[in-house]
Amino acid sequence: VLVIAVCIFLYYLYDLKREDYTKRSLVAKIAFVGVIVVALVSIVSGFLIADSPKLAREKKFDFERVSQLSQLSYSLEDSYRQNDGLPENLSEKRYAYFVDPETKQLYEYRKLSPKSYELCATFTHAAPGPDEEQPSPYGLPSGSADWNYHEAGRQCYERQIDTEPQGSVVSRPAKPLKD
């Protein structure tokens, strides 16, 4: 856009300085053709670079699946802490939100042990693993949950409830403020 604006400005500047207005100048003809070519190249390259609507919709569904798997995992960990255990299935009302965006079916859940479970989802496209050169396809930091990097098709992920504090973080009550 900036290049086109500068070209238009330079053309008008040239047009103000020319002396013979009785015929079209060669510069005007070249400028006209140049602007048309730049505009057409921009439009065509935009179509070539952008994904098709179908592909964009499928990628959006995969992004929503990753997001919902994360939220479901946090919800299951919350449930574990509140109820001292994992639910047997996802039939409770609070899990009704976690459905596949395409099929509208609940994600597959299986309780493996008192502290572990498995979540399954079917992805449309693969999202390759983290790489120095290529960041996560969903804009998430490396080392995030492993479902950020998945193959196309049905994928299952085993998760373990972590009951220990992370690193050296220990929860303690705050000291009262002094007046």
Side-chain angles (χ1 to χ4, degrees):
V1 174
L2 181 63
V3 171
I4 292 173
V6 168
C7 289
I8 291 171
F9 173 75
L10 291 174
Y11 171 74
Y12 280 113
L13 186 64
Y14 160 78
D15 198 40
L16 287 173
K17 292 185 178 185
R18 76 182 176 132
E19 295 175 9
D20 184 16
Y21 289 97
T22 58
K23 61 179 181 165
R24 264 188 202 235
S25 71
L26 182 62
V27 173
K29 291 177 186 176
I30 292 172
F32 176 75
V33 170
V35 167
I36 296 297
V37 167
V38 168
L40 286 175
V41 166
S42 299
I43 291 169
V44 169
S45 65
F47 280 116
L48 293 176
I49 292 172
D51 290 335
S52 71
K54 180 181 182 242
L55 182 62
R57 185 173 38 258
E58 289 170 349
K59 285 182 176 181
K60 180 181 174 231
F61 284 155
D62 279 353
F63 178 78
E64 288 178 23
R65 287 180 186 106
V66 167
S67 176
Q68 286 189 0
L69 285 173
S70 267
Q71 292 174 20
L72 180 55
S73 177
Y74 292 134
S75 183
L76 289 167
E77 289 178 20
D78 239 13
S79 174
Y80 177 85
R81 288 179 183 87
Q82 290 174 0
N83 304 321
D84 291 329
L86 290 166
E88 293 300 320
N89 55 45
L90 299 180
S91 62
E92 291 179 36
K93 188 175 181 178
R94 68 176 168 176
Y95 302 118
Y97 166 75
F98 301 108
V99 294
D100 186 280
E102 195 170 13
T103 65
K104 305 298 184 211
Q105 298 293 317
L106 285 172
Y107 290 103
E108 294 177 52
Y109 164 80
R110 191 166 57 113
K111 181 178 175 182
L112 301 174
S113 73
K115 289 187 179 182
S116 67
Y117 59 93
E118 181 180 66
L119 289 175
C120 299
T122 303
F123 294 96
T124 310
H125 297 281
D131 190 348
E132 298 284 328
E133 308 275 323
Q134 182 173 345
S136 164
Y138 303 110
L140 302 167
S142 296
S144 294
D146 53 357
W147 45 63
N148 294 324
Y149 312 103
H150 52 78
E151 297 297 319
R154 184 174 180 271
Q155 302 292 309
C156 293
Y157 303 94
E158 189 175 323
R159 308 304 264 170
Q160 191 78 20
I161 300 291
D162 188 13
T163 56
E164 299 297 318
Q166 295 292 321
S168 61
V169 177
V170 178
S171 179
R172 294 194 181 116
K175 296 179 182 177
L177 295 174
K178 295 180 183 178
D179 291 327

